[in-house]
Structure formats: structure tokens, C-alpha cells
Amino acid sequence: MKYGKFAAVYDGLMEDIPYEEYVEWVASHVSSGKLLDVACGTGTLSQLFAEMGYDVTASDLSDDMLTIANQRFQEANQSIPVLQLSMDNLEGLTGFDLVTLAIDSLNYLQTEQQVQQTFKEVYKALNQGGYFFFDVHSIFKVDTVYMNSPFVYDAEEIAYIWHTESGEFTHSVVHDITFFVQQGNLFERFEETHEQRTFPIAVYTNWLEAAGFSLESVTADFSTHLPDNASERIFFCARK
């Protein structure tokens, strides 16, 4: 998927994501080491992990996202290697102490095989005893919360109208978003379509174990609480 114009507005749309809490969650399990940030987007988490002292490598499939990430790292004088890779094909990367796959990026994979292959690729990338951290949308969020669209966002420089509908698969959603982005005295309009799919917690757990992982914890919504029927974001910590 190309993210050209979307990449340019991505950070503004993600302002409410508590990235620092994500870093704290990871650091509570392992406080240092060689870290691979898969599907890094514009590099916000990669930068925070580097500031915490992790030896970070960032990867993403989108060259538009990576262009912004590279610029972010250069402006901060951070030497973070950037790789253009799909999350289900990490091309032989090995030697990492921890891998992160954050902010529901895994939900962009549309097939069961892609998710299972991603778990296998992450497993191979990790050292023995290494940790894998990721989060996904809950079934409740995909099937119920997202179906309450349209959603409207209006800020000084960016506005959008966001429509959703059920996708092709069970527990999948299609996001159709129309953006209005200020360019001088005018607003540019462009449209994006994104498709996401999630699975029950037990399915993710089975796939992790099939790939060789042991499950350390499953929590919800940037907390230490167990997921319940109203949880919207599910966090997994697994270990090789």
C-alpha cells in the first residue's frame, strides 16, 4: 500500500496515542538490547526507544513512511538503520533481543497465512530468550466500535470524514477516509482506503505457540488489566 499523502498527515492523526506508555510497557519486561521496530511508520516509537538507550533498527514497507522516519532520525542526530521490508518477510534478519510490532499494524495483514508467517519471521529474528511485543484491535472494536461511523475530526490544519463498513472477512473493516489538509489559504482534499482484520485472542495465542513462542502476558488498553468484552486494544508479550 502506498501512503504518500497519508504519511504526511499521519503524525497529526496519531497525537492521542500514548507512545510513552508503549515504551514503558516494553521496558517493564526488558530495559535494554538490540531492538527491531517492525512497521515503524514515521518512526515515533523507534525514536523514543533509541532515546531510552535501545540499539534500534526500524523497518516498514512504505517508502513514504520511511522517508519521514529518516528525516525524524536525522534531525534528532540518531543513527537508526532503516529497512524497507514487509512484516511477513524480514529477509533473514537475526540477532535481536526484542521485536516490536506496534499500533495495530498487524491488523493490516488480510490473511491468516500472512499473520502466521509474520510470527515465524519474528521468531527467527530474535535471539533465544528474546521478546516479541505487539498489539491488535479487539473484535469488539472492529465489529462494534468502528461500525458507529461516520467519525468527524476537525482541527486547524487537518480535517477528515471517516466512514467504515464491514470487510470481506469475519472481524474485518474497511476504512474510507476523506481528508482536507490546509495548503496555504486553501484546503487540499484526498481520499484513503484502509482494510484491517483481527482475530480472537485464542487464535493469536495458538499461532504464537505454533511459531515456537511462549506467551508471557495478554493485557488490554495500555494497562495491566486482562482483556474483557469492552476492551478495544489487545497487547501481547511473547518470548522465544
Side-chain angles (χ1 to χ4, degrees), residues 8-28:
V9 302
Y10 180 82
D11 287 335
L13 301 178
M14 302 294 282
E15 286 180 344
D16 292 336
I17 296 292
Y19 288 108
E20 291 80 5
E21 293 182 26
Y22 213 106
V23 174
E24 291 172 4
W25 171 55
V26 171
S28 70

Side-chain angles (χ1 to χ4, degrees), residues 145-151 162-165:
V145 175
Y146 276 146
M147 293 303 110
N148 290 323
S149 74
F151 309 106
W162 173 6
H163 294 271
T164 60
E165 62 181 11

Side-chain angles (χ1 to χ4, degrees), residues 126-186:
L126 284 167
N127 293 324
Q128 191 63 41
Y131 285 84
F132 178 29
F133 302 90
F134 69 97
D135 67 278
V136 293
H137 290 316
S138 69
I139 288 175
F140 170 70
K141 186 169 186 179
V142 170
D143 291 354
T144 303
V145 175
Y146 276 146
M147 293 303 110
N148 290 323
S149 74
F151 309 106
V152 177
Y153 175 85
D154 187 3
E156 289 185 6
E157 298 180 353
I158 301 174
Y160 64 70
I161 303 172
W162 173 6
H163 294 271
T164 60
E165 62 181 11
S166 296
E168 174 185 356
F169 305 103
T170 304
H171 311 314
S172 67
V173 59
V174 179
H175 310 276
D176 288 311
I177 314 172
T178 302
F179 290 93
F180 303 88
V181 181
Q182 187 172 11
Q183 302 287 350
N185 294 325
L186 301 175

